Amino acid sequence: MTAKSKPAPIPEPGDNDLQFGDLDEMLGIVLQRTFIATARYFKEYMGDDFRPGFFTTLSLIEKNPGLTQKALAAAIRRDTSTLVPFLNKLEELGWAERRRSQADKRAHELYLTPAGHRQAARFDTKVRALEARLAEELGSRQAQQLRRLLRELDDVFARLSSQAD
Amino acid sequence: MTAKSKPAPIPEPGDNDLQFGDLDEMLGIVLQRTFIATARYFKEYMGDDFRPGFFTTLSLIEKNPGLTQKALAAAIRRDTSTLVPFLNKLEELGWAERRRSQADKRAHELYLTPAGHRQAARFDTKVRALEARLAEELGSRQAQQLRRLLRELDDVFARLSSQAD
DNA sequence: GCCATTTAGTTGCATATCCATTTATTTGTT
DNA sequence: AACAAATAAATGGATATGCAACTAAATGGC
């Protein structure tokens, strides 16, 4: 690049229209941008006192009653220590509860309360509506393709990490 | 696998193989999972004292010397207040500096130091190598497709947000 | 030219996250 | 059975992030 033609417009970008160079062509960058946009819109869409993790966590506890904090952490890919204040909040809201496992007294089993089940159903409806909207806007064929490619990229990182070369 | 048909294996997921239901089919969920995997691998790949934002920020300041904190924040899609401690760190490392704008004495113009330029070049080489690796693992055709679809999804959210209905 | 409004950056506060350490309990080895 | 090693959850400390409030400076209306 930088042949001659234009002698460089002299950026001088005090404000807008920045030069991104090939940052825009990098998969990691594009992924991050889109993830941020998604997380922001999702938060706005779900409403003010919604916290990230509410939907996924309630859904997972509902589908897997009695799962341990460790199992939950693995499922949502977060450190177990991250879950501690979050589960405190769920208990405080009366949506979930910890019960000491009889089989292993170190572990906690997680269960939804009746209110938790109701809440889970509400979130589910709302998230499904958004997913439907996205599939509509994007085209369901493309939405499917995007999911497939994201899973493949996820697999790539799993492979790269396990090698550790 | 013991028998045929299996009348519902009775989850009992004290540990592994949880039920995800159709969580796996949801674009938002898959996007989040892959983003987390990407961010983790990236951190591990870049090394211990690497912070998220180093690469993108140095790259943007290099390409747009004199840009303001506001412009940078918009470019990386973060709140301006997030930048404050981060830019303090860059100055402390001697990679970048703030200069009060003469045109607008509220604003700071951002520039790289010579050390910052060297660091930016190092990051650039390393990130490019990873990008190349990803394109190789995923197939460059698919990597391109993935970028395209991510940008389209990003556009969808831009559209949905601006409506605010 | 003056004052209200807007704007750039900062600070304070709350949440989210990970890592290292700690505590209670379990498991494995002898 | 006894004890060392491993493990589940919690705690403490650090970074990352956004929002609200604040300060200093610029802008616009009159």
Side-chain angles (χ1 to χ4, degrees):
Chain A
M1 18 232 98
T2 60
K4 50 171 181 197
S5 37
K6 291 218 175 185
I10 306 170
E12 187 184 358
D15 241 58
N16 225 333
D17 57 275
L18 297 195
Q19 300 298 327
F20 280 82
D22 36 12
L23 243 44
D24 271 333
E25 305 306 318
M26 294 186 176
L27 190 49
I29 305 292
V30 178
L31 178 60
Q32 189 186 31
R33 290 170 71 94
T34 304
F35 173 72
I36 291 175
T38 305
R40 283 214 186 127
Y41 186 81
F42 190 66
K43 181 183 178 173
E44 180 198 326
Y45 173 81
M46 293 301 282
D48 248 357
D49 27 355
F50 182 86
R51 291 208 198 170
F54 272 177
F55 166 66
T56 313
T57 301
L58 290 189
S59 181
L60 281 170
I61 300 178
E62 185 165 63
K63 293 183 179 73
N64 305 275
L67 87 172
T68 63
Q69 299 185 193
K70 181 185 166 64
L72 175 60
I76 64 177
R77 302 193 179 187
R78 283 182 186 73
D79 195 89
T80 55
S81 64
T82 303
L83 287 188
V84 174
F86 182 73
L87 291 173
N88 291 346
K89 183 70 181 174
L90 288 187
E91 290 196 315
E92 178 193 319
L93 288 167
W95 293 351
E97 53 185 35
R98 294 163 162 112
R99 297 187 206 150
R100 277 239 109 88
S101 164
Q102 285 312 94
D104 182 343
K105 293 199 199 80
R106 294 168 302 178
H108 288 150
E109 297 173 348
L110 302 174
Y111 297 91
L112 293 194
T113 63
H117 283 288
R118 287 194 297 274
Q119 203 56 49
R122 259 178 244 130
F123 288 149
D124 205 68
T125 304
K126 210 159 183 202
V127 170
R128 267 169 217 286
L130 177 57
E131 283 283 326
R133 183 76 191 272
L134 292 181
E136 189 186 322
E137 293 283 330
L138 206 59
S140 69
R141 179 108 193 85
Q142 312 217 307
Q144 190 181 1
Q145 181 101 28
L146 179 51
R147 285 199 306 273
R148 190 177 63 73
L149 289 168
L150 284 168
R151 270 194 225 101
E152 280 181 29
L153 182 58
D154 192 47
D155 291 342
V156 167
F157 285 118
R159 251 183 290 137
L160 292 183
S161 296
S162 66
Q163 291 179 219
D165 53 301
Chain B
M1 305 306 219
T2 55
K4 46 163 193 188
S5 1
K6 279 217 175 191
I10 304 168
E12 188 185 358
D15 241 59
N16 226 334
D17 57 276
L18 297 196
Q19 299 298 327
F20 281 81
D22 36 12
L23 244 45
D24 272 334
E25 305 307 318
M26 295 184 175
L27 191 48
I29 305 292
V30 177
L31 178 60
Q32 189 186 33
R33 291 171 69 95
T34 304
F35 174 72
I36 292 175
T38 305
R40 281 213 188 127
Y41 186 80
F42 190 67
K43 181 182 178 173
E44 179 199 326
Y45 174 79
M46 293 300 282
D48 248 356
D49 28 356
F50 182 86
R51 292 208 196 169
F54 272 176
F55 166 65
T56 313
T57 302
L58 291 189
S59 182
L60 281 169
I61 301 178
E62 185 164 62
K63 293 183 180 72
N64 305 275
L67 87 172
T68 63
Q69 297 185 194
K70 181 185 167 65
L72 176 59
I76 63 176
R77 302 193 179 187
R78 282 181 187 75
D79 194 89
T80 55
S81 64
T82 303
L83 286 188
V84 175
F86 182 72
L87 291 174
N88 291 345
K89 183 69 181 176
L90 288 186
E91 290 196 315
E92 179 193 318
L93 287 166
W95 293 352
E97 52 186 34
R98 293 163 163 114
R99 296 187 207 152
R100 276 239 112 85
S101 164
Q102 283 313 95
D104 182 343
K105 294 202 197 78
R106 294 168 304 179
H108 288 150
E109 298 174 348
L110 302 174
Y111 298 91
L112 293 193
T113 63
H117 283 289
R118 286 194 297 275
Q119 203 57 48
R122 260 178 244 130
F123 289 150
D124 204 68
T125 304
K126 209 159 182 202
V127 170
R128 267 169 217 287
L130 177 56
E131 283 283 326
R133 184 76 190 273
L134 292 181
E136 190 186 322
E137 292 284 329
L138 206 58
S140 68
R141 178 110 193 85
Q142 312 219 306
Q144 190 182 0
Q145 181 102 29
L146 179 51
R147 285 198 306 272
R148 190 177 63 74
L149 289 168
L150 285 168
R151 271 194 223 101
E152 281 182 29
L153 182 58
D154 192 46
D155 292 341
V156 167
F157 285 117
R159 252 183 290 138
L160 293 184
S161 295
S162 65
Q163 293 180 219
D165 53 300

